[in-house]
Amino acid sequence: MENENASQRSPRLGSSYYPERWDASRWPADAKLMNGIGFDFIRTGEFAWSKFEPEDGRFAFTWMDDAIQVFADHGIKTIMCTPTASPMPWMYDKHPDMVPVTEEGKPFGPGERRHYCFNNPDFRRYADRMTTRMAEHYAGHPDIFAWQIDNELGGEEFICYCAYCRKAFQAWLLNKYKTVEELNRRWGGTFFSLEFTEWREVPLPIGHNVNFFNPSMKKDYLHFYSDSMKDFLMSQYRILKRHLGDIPVTTNRFTVFWTDKFDLRMDREMDVVAFDNYDLELSLAAFHHDLYRSIQPEAKHWVLEQHTGLRDFGADQRDIIAQTVQSIVRGAELVCYFSWRQINYGVEQDFYGVVEHDGSPGDTYDILKDVVGWVRGDGAFLKDLKTKNDVAILHSYDSSMMYYVNHMFNSTHYHKALYERFYVPLFELGVGVDFIHDFAAMSGYRAVVIPVHLLMSQEGLRQVEAYVEAGGTVYATGDFMHKTEDNWRAYGETIDRINSLTGVRHQKLLFVPKPQEGQAPYLFSYRGQSYSYEGYFNKTARDGDGSADRTRVLAEVEEPAIERGTSAVTESRQGQGKFVMIHTLAEAAFQRRLFADDLPTIGIETRELPKQVECMRMHDSQGEPVGYFVLNQSRESYEFVNERSGERTVVQPGTFEWIRN
Amino acid sequence: MENENASQRSPRLGSSYYPERWDASRWPADAKLMNGIGFDFIRTGEFAWSKFEPEDGRFAFTWMDDAIQVFADHGIKTIMCTPTASPMPWMYDKHPDMVPVTEEGKPFGPGERRHYCFNNPDFRRYADRMTTRMAEHYAGHPDIFAWQIDNELGGEEFICYCAYCRKAFQAWLLNKYKTVEELNRRWGGTFFSLEFTEWREVPLPIGHNVNFFNPSMKKDYLHFYSDSMKDFLMSQYRILKRHLGDIPVTTNRFTVFWTDKFDLRMDREMDVVAFDNYDLELSLAAFHHDLYRSIQPEAKHWVLEQHTGLRDFGADQRDIIAQTVQSIVRGAELVCYFSWRQINYGVEQDFYGVVEHDGSPGDTYDILKDVVGWVRGDGAFLKDLKTKNDVAILHSYDSSMMYYVNHMFNSTHYHKALYERFYVPLFELGVGVDFIHDFAAMSGYRAVVIPVHLLMSQEGLRQVEAYVEAGGTVYATGDFMHKTEDNWRAYGETIDRINSLTGVRHQKLLFVPKPQEGQAPYLFSYRGQSYSYEGYFNKTARDGDGSADRTRVLAEVEEPAIERGTSAVTESRQGQGKFVMIHTLAEAAFQRRLFADDLPTIGIETRELPKQVECMRMHDSQGEPVGYFVLNQSRESYEFVNERSGERTVVQPGTFEWIRN
Amino acid sequence: MENENASQRSPRLGSSYYPERWDASRWPADAKLMNGIGFDFIRTGEFAWSKFEPEDGRFAFTWMDDAIQVFADHGIKTIMCTPTASPMPWMYDKHPDMVPVTEEGKPFGPGERRHYCFNNPDFRRYADRMTTRMAEHYAGHPDIFAWQIDNELGGEEFICYCAYCRKAFQAWLLNKYKTVEELNRRWGGTFFSLEFTEWREVPLPIGHNVNFFNPSMKKDYLHFYSDSMKDFLMSQYRILKRHLGDIPVTTNRFTVFWTDKFDLRMDREMDVVAFDNYDLELSLAAFHHDLYRSIQPEAKHWVLEQHTGLRDFGADQRDIIAQTVQSIVRGAELVCYFSWRQINYGVEQDFYGVVEHDGSPGDTYDILKDVVGWVRGDGAFLKDLKTKNDVAILHSYDSSMMYYVNHMFNSTHYHKALYERFYVPLFELGVGVDFIHDFAAMSGYRAVVIPVHLLMSQEGLRQVEAYVEAGGTVYATGDFMHKTEDNWRAYGETIDRINSLTGVRHQKLLFVPKPQEGQAPYLFSYRGQSYSYEGYFNKTARDGDGSADRTRVLAEVEEPAIERGTSAVTESRQGQGKFVMIHTLAEAAFQRRLFADDLPTIGIETRELPKQVECMRMHDSQGEPVGYFVLNQSRESYEFVNERSGERTVVQPGTFEWIRN
């Protein structure tokens, strides 16, 4: 899968700017400073609802018109944001039930942030009106080149359980299941007599003991609420497109650990995918670039908030250098720094900005100016390069949702497991990956990692079989395809084919609890080294199934003693390829070791990198490898060895190097 | 106290089975497999309310009739359960206030489990109607040999605080105290002006700071709610007995750590006492057998859910062998395994069954078949044996409730202290115990342990005096009889008699807080070894009371330094017996050492056993000791030495041995 | 600043006594025992509302009249308390909304303590009526010499958020800001569109995520609720004074860690300042004496509850000796022990008393009798002595409130930081301090410590400049004056003057997070020793500002490595004085070392004291130093060396010594 950098123009760089927070007399000075740094644009308007609509139905745009003009006069264009993330007090005075309700049954207070429910009709009416008026007013504006809808949708890990949600959930279920009988069947209502006679009986999945709520209902509720978000997002999108035509419209996502209960593939409908990057770990920022890029794999993505390299004492402002370059290398065509200047009131007083607190340019400004200069100058060659990844990770929102609602014995967090145990080991080996969301996309890769993939899919399984048969390598975990989309156990429906894929006979899907305080960890042994594990364990029969000729046991259980010798990791050859199953969820160090040992055997280069050092293999437009981008965000210098040329390059802390092949 | 095994017929063994979860075409295969394993019965019907009453007032029994018949055709009888633990959504649609309310003021959601309040009149009406209709339908059915009421009453550690409870509590108080003035007096309403003028003013003991609620009120609330459960249980019992006549009716309890806020002596009213056993520790399972057996000490008890030996990776299916034999040796005449087959939907998807997930017999099936075969064959001699215990533990539900509500400085948990610090040391020494609930029952034992017994009882104290005088040995803790039944301090009312019993002069009942992080533990010294302690400390005057001739100090305080030399454990001879007071709550290791040193001096045999090994001394029908039952649920083999014969027997892990005297 | 002991008569000593808890026939015996111990008074009446007003509007005082008489007959006078801390159940039956509501939105239950809201009109009406009737009844009573209002106002860390509070908050804001526009401006409502159009829209600052509430609003709410308390307190005060005339009226405060969200300077309006002392650490008791004394610095204060030296096992009753003497030395003219006798019902059953549980005099009684005898006899010379402190700590309730509401990144607790990191080091060096609340009061001291002082004050800054110029020494922390009274960042407004004071150029106010589990602490180095730090760090530019001639760097950052060499502590000479800035919040050990090194250079004597040993330098009426009071509440003897005379004095554990100069 190729990620074309070639056809892009220089990436756009700019900053969030809130004209309503500063006296208008200050705007020209800021515009001039932005111009001086080489910025292209400001991003503005989000959270300014009270300025755009100071009273119910009275709208005011002149102040913003003036600001746009001041910046345009200095060559700075505008990304306009709709302000719907910050409804105002007068709305709650009129509609007290506009506040969302948490899973604990606790209402939000007016005066928070994102304190509305997607299913509240009054909010939707206000939001539609606001967005319509903005779109009407700014349609055809020459200095606005893009729009953002709302801000960090789904932020604060929030799902609403208000009375409007209950009604909307019932309607959503009616649409999905058509009859109450079908709902009862698909939820397994036979268990604990959760059988409905009328739609209106369906409750919200909240109350006293979340462990006793039906897991099919809980999974449906996540899908329902994700659809509620999509419904809001698309309604806003349609309003904007109706008036604005070709101008790109997007919305800004946040860390997936905040929003992983929503199916973010809904952003395929946006004109461009965007997210906010506040990660301090290079690997975590890379993970988010790759994950968000995967939603529209053929397109570039945007970073709509990029932290300015400093928050706490001990952080290094130079981190902004590595993260800017990383963004571009990993496919961003726009980076917007957050924010221009620290605000001295409200809850975000402690967030830093590009300029100093008093508005003067300081060291952050100087560092950014250098980076922007490099990107536009010496670094312009970046646009002739592209990345080409041989490894994919198969991602599954259904599996994420199922792990989220399966509280009873299991505390595995899908994205945390995905990132820490699979993405990081590959990152630390300098192996670039693409995320894919469909089994059909596997064929473009030499190897596909399918971790914590609970969702069973007969078609997916068929594709895995075909992929391996044709020469592909798959790495999967013990929970592989163990749940239907209704969140039922699928064991019986897949076991024969999984046995065939793995070349061993599975017996029981058991559970490995996390060791308690003072208890020894559960371990398996791989090449003389012990590794811990937890979560589900897909236990094989000790006698295998007679296919030992094509199956190798790579690791065996050491602890608990009673299971000593049970297969923990197996490799099974199928046709031209192989299927490696880690029968449980192993610690990250194991995957690092396994990939380091195994990937080279299928022609994938690896390299041992220290923490906070990134190495990207780059290719020219013909797809030939031409060099390495090495970023060093660690606090020590790093010596890169080009094994082809034998050349050694020292990369200083807080810098990066381009090393030709 | 003798526990007669002699007169029983072979224990009954069977399995929970839920016909509504499987297609009817599958039932014959399951019945045949059950017959093959040697099972006698299925237990069924609980949680199937929605199948029995799919709509308000429309009842359906044919499906169950058919299932009973299929199993009867294979020689499998039925225990029928009322389904009242799972009220249905339509009930909450009609009566939204049917949900219980937690101590936090949070309502349950419809769709949980046990989500009803005993005091809700609508629920009671529905439950009475359902149970009546079932009883009418199944009266005289030849294949139903027993009934279970509801399921795990009081489960999930739950006490309700709904508006109906408040009214019912006021009525309960009126019945108990007759006048508001008496209520004020007994609760000590003078303190903090908690004095009522009308019954309707009495609040629920919930709100902001539980430490400020009157402790007499809190204790009464526990008794009230326990009585509410009993009222529900007995109403159901009476309905069943009215229609069913002689067929035994019971209800299944759960771990006492879930239900210790209820006075389970209410089960004396059942035809048989039953509980569900999910304990993985042999000693904990033994504890529950002994505790539940004590409710009807002259009768056998039932295990209505017995886990199938496996839940987590690292558990051993062979554990089911030890636990089955243990059940029978400790007095169970029926064991019902849970469950027949793992369900693939609903919240209990991860619980295993007798057969494999796909319905085929696997290793669990084979193991069970062996056990059942042994019990019915070579093990039939069990019925000629009985146990005869020389030691009793005096149990007190009042003390449990008082420790539960005394939050201010003390976090002692009655049953946890009872089990961990007193029962386990005796178990590990191979000393069998009976629980007794009345002081009058002491006379049947050589020694009586009275731990964490807060409740003061003048009559009980008199009986202790008489028992010791007549030659008995008592082991008590420092909190002995320090609270009246109204949860007042009783110090002044008992101190002289406690001084006399202990042979020292007590000065103050102080409190030993748990050491904080990094703080050294409080220690006392016994025979050169240090032991930690906490909780109440009944401090003696240093000069004693001049009775030193009959009093020995067994242990003295080491830490805190300022109390060095204070008596920590004393032994006082009274008449023919002695009274040993541990003046505080010591760690378990101390009690193990004390019992090992002391019990042999009064003719009670002890033996040092490793963890997860159990040794029961068995007697013939004349009460003569004839041998030992040794169960090994540990992961290593255990060598038992019969000190009489010198014979050595190796007991393999996961097995048991019968060793003749 | 002198604290005159000279003019006082012997301190008054007495005990809390609750006649309603004991039979009237017992009162004479208690009165006699009190007389025997040398007590002057009882404190009574609080919590007895149900005895004073058993039914709505029916009042009863005879029982109390009788009790007062019995004690008067034995020479024991009375402090009468209003009982308003314990409203009764019938009030909640009539007005269910009288219960306060917590920040979590949870209502209190009737039957707690202090379960009323200052803004509830029904409660206020009942309280006014009760207090009026008491005052009318007892006006002119010859045996009542003082009154206490309510009990531990603001106890249990409680702030109410009920519907009445919302209305009252809106009215308070109207009074403060006059227009909604001004409110919007001062709260920075531009941020997140928190702009109001009508007063009624203003919400309570509660809801889902406290981090998203406007910090200016949160600070105003604390001031508002503090004013609500003051309004109640003053209304009660005026009722009492109207009827009682000259008799002193007070209220009893508690540990500042419970009440630090209230501006306790409101007690300047009381006739005397009083507090309850339950501290076991001598330094913490001293801290409270000094802090409460500072509210009326020219007057003596009272201790209305003094614990009786024993609560847990391992505490020493002799602690009461040191704490009694400490109280008097630190300026108390009345000490009331809590309580006379342990009560056997209600929630405080585990609190001990002066006499034993059965009412007989025991060792606590004997110890107290000795102390009282000494105070009245050999210790009478105390009244000729006074303390004279050279060091002040500048205290700021605004800063305390701002630290309380600034949750986002910072978990610093103002009073905890003040006590642990500044007060304790001075205490351990034997350096007496006064707390001052106004910058104008600095001039009386050689050195002023201004720690965790967030509040910016232009006038205060001017005074600091003048104080240093004139020869004073200031020790401040890195957060010095960084927030306006509206809780905005003030950096820009003060930075030039702070640069001038510190003699370095500040660059950014950064944040040092607490190290996470397993992470190395952040350290700076001072005279070869490393010290940890956290919280805000006021980072200086590395090149300084050219004023190096008058600036010395005392400590430099070691960790994090990237900041190595940054100034951590600087000393700047200004005119005759100096300004020492600790640029962050350092661990206590650093301040102890800094003060030990630095204070002697400005003529302040220090001395190294072990934990739980106190040393107070005493002066005669001419202000000449005449000796030391040394209290030893540790468990080991302490040898005091008088360096002037070379004399050595051993102070035994649990005792004190007076050492003449």
Side-chain angles (χ1 to χ4, degrees), chain A residues 193 195 200 208 483 489 509, chain B residues 47 50 93 112 350 352:
Chain A
S193 286
E195 295 194 273
R200 71 166 182 274
H208 168 57
K483 288 269 190 169
R489 279 259 192 166
L509 182 65
Chain B
F47 297 125
S50 67
D93 185 49
E112 300 200 33
D350 285 348
Y352 299 97

Side-chain angles (χ1 to χ4, degrees), chain B residues 213-263:
Chain B
F213 291 115
N214 181 290
S216 305
M217 170 168 65
K218 288 195 287 187
K219 179 168 187 278
D220 262 351
Y221 200 81
L222 294 185
H223 285 285
F224 150 72
Y225 203 68
S226 182
D227 282 355
S228 299
M229 175 195 277
K230 183 174 181 182
D231 188 72
F232 170 69
L233 176 63
M234 292 312 297
S235 79
Q236 294 287 298
Y237 179 82
R238 283 188 299 266
I239 290 168
L240 292 176
K241 295 305 279 189
R242 189 155 56 236
H243 295 89
L244 301 168
D246 280 347
I247 285 186
V249 173
T250 184
T251 192
N252 58 325
R253 298 295 177 178
F254 199 60
T255 166
V256 74
F257 299 109
W258 251 20
T259 53
D260 61 352
K261 293 164 291 294
F262 297 95
D263 186 339

Side-chain angles (χ1 to χ4, degrees), chain B residues 188-461:
Chain B
T190 299
F191 195 80
F192 287 175
S193 288
L194 189 72
E195 296 193 271
F196 302 96
T197 61
E198 304 281 353
W199 290 106
R200 71 165 182 275
E201 297 164 7
V202 178
L204 294 165
I206 61 174
H208 168 58
N209 190 337
V210 71
N211 280 338
F212 284 110
F213 291 115
N214 181 290
S216 305
M217 170 168 65
K218 288 195 287 187
K219 179 168 187 278
D220 262 351
Y221 200 81
L222 294 185
H223 285 285
F224 150 72
Y225 203 68
S226 182
D227 282 355
S228 299
M229 175 195 277
K230 183 174 181 182
D231 188 72
F232 170 69
L233 176 63
M234 292 312 297
S235 79
Q236 294 287 298
Y237 179 82
R238 283 188 299 266
I239 290 168
L240 292 176
K241 295 305 279 189
R242 189 155 56 236
H243 295 89
L244 301 168
D246 280 347
I247 285 186
V249 173
T250 184
T251 192
N252 58 325
R253 298 295 177 178
F254 199 60
T255 166
V256 74
F257 299 109
W258 251 20
T259 53
D260 61 352
K261 293 164 291 294
F262 297 95
D263 186 339
L264 299 184
R265 288 175 296 180
M266 71 178 79
D267 286 2
R268 281 181 187 163
E269 309 296 327
M270 297 295 101
D271 298 330
V272 64
V273 171
F275 80 105
D276 295 351
N277 178 28
Y278 285 91
D279 298 321
L280 301 178
E281 294 285 317
L282 264 185
S283 60
L284 188 55
F287 173 74
H288 280 114
H289 281 292
D290 291 351
L291 193 54
Y292 284 111
R293 193 187 66 208
S294 74
I295 293 170
Q296 295 185 358
E298 303 303 322
K300 294 282 185 179
H301 64 284
W302 291 1
V303 178
L304 278 173
E305 294 186 17
Q306 166 64 48
H307 71 80
T308 44
L310 185 69
R311 192 177 62 195
D312 296 335
F313 194 65
D316 188 339
Q317 286 148 297
R318 293 174 300 173
D319 293 350
I320 204 174
I321 302 170
Q323 296 216 348
T324 299
V325 173
Q326 182 196 51
S327 292
I328 300 164
V329 172
R330 289 191 177 268
E333 74 173 355
L334 179 149
V335 178
C336 177
Y337 299 93
F338 186 89
S339 64
W340 178 251
R341 179 174 168 190
Q342 191 171 7
I343 188 171
N344 51 359
Y345 53 84
V347 302
E348 293 185 352
Q349 296 176 30
D350 285 348
F351 284 91
Y352 299 97
V354 174
V355 294
E356 298 302 294
H357 187 279
D358 64 359
S360 66
D363 43 9
T364 306
Y365 183 93
D366 293 340
I367 286 168
L368 258 178
K369 192 172 174 176
D370 282 354
V371 178
V372 173
W374 182 85
V375 167
R376 297 275 158 76
D378 292 350
F381 71 93
L382 259 178
K383 65 171 183 279
D384 298 322
L385 303 181
K386 56 184 177 181
T387 60
K388 209 176 101 184
N389 295 321
D390 294 319
V391 177
I393 294 178
L394 203 140
H395 182 275
S396 163
Y397 279 107
D398 278 87
S399 301
S400 172
M401 291 182 184
M402 284 191 283
Y403 266 114
Y404 182 73
V405 301
N406 285 347
H407 289 300
M408 202 161 210
F409 293 130
N410 202 328
S411 62
T412 299
H413 183 290
Y414 176 82
H415 281 102
K416 209 158 172 265
L418 197 71
Y419 167 64
E420 292 176 356
R421 305 189 191 223
F422 296 89
Y423 188 88
V424 168
L426 290 164
F427 182 91
E428 291 177 352
L429 294 169
V431 177
V433 303
D434 292 332
F435 285 98
I436 57 174
H437 299 272
D438 297 298
F439 287 94
M442 290 190 296
S443 60
Y445 298 91
R446 291 199 192 173
V448 178
V449 185
I450 314 180
V452 279
H453 191 94
L454 268 186
L455 180 68
M456 191 270 280
S457 154
Q458 295 289 358
E459 168 61 16
L461 196 46

Side-chain angles (χ1 to χ4, degrees), chain A residues 530-593:
Chain A
S530 297
Y531 298 94
S532 68
Y533 61 94
E534 66 190 48
Y536 286 122
F537 195 105
N538 201 348
K539 188 181 171 183
T540 62
R542 300 202 186 202
D543 55 357
D545 69 344
S547 329
D549 48 335
R550 62 181 180 86
T551 304
R552 270 202 312 145
V553 175
L554 302 185
E556 288 188 351
V557 168
E558 287 185 319
E559 297 291 340
I562 197 171
E563 300 286 358
R564 205 160 283 167
T566 298
S567 301
V569 184
T570 53
E571 176 192 287
S572 167
R573 304 214 150 265
Q574 311 274 339
Q576 304 302 310
K578 69 182 179 190
F579 187 96
V580 178
M581 180 175 264
I582 305 151
H583 293 245
T584 180
L585 192 56
E587 64 172 308
F590 168 70
Q591 271 81 236
R592 180 164 166 161
R593 177 81 186 274

Side-chain angles (χ1 to χ4, degrees), chain A residues 18 83 89 109 125 128 270 280 305 309 397 421 454 551 604 649:
Chain A
Y18 304 98
R125 189 165 36 81
D128 285 358
M270 297 295 101
L280 300 179
E305 294 186 18
Y397 280 106
R421 305 189 192 222
L454 269 186
T551 304
I604 298 170
T649 310

Side-chain angles (χ1 to χ4, degrees), chain C residues 32 43 52 78 97 146 413 426 446 454 456-457 470 474 513 519 526 548 572 575 583 623 655:
Chain C
K32 197 174 165 205
R43 165 178 166 269
F52 286 130
T78 291
D97 63 359
H413 184 290
L426 291 165
R446 291 198 192 174
L454 269 186
M456 192 271 281
S457 154
V474 168
Q519 192 185 338
Y526 168 73
S572 168
H583 293 246
T655 65

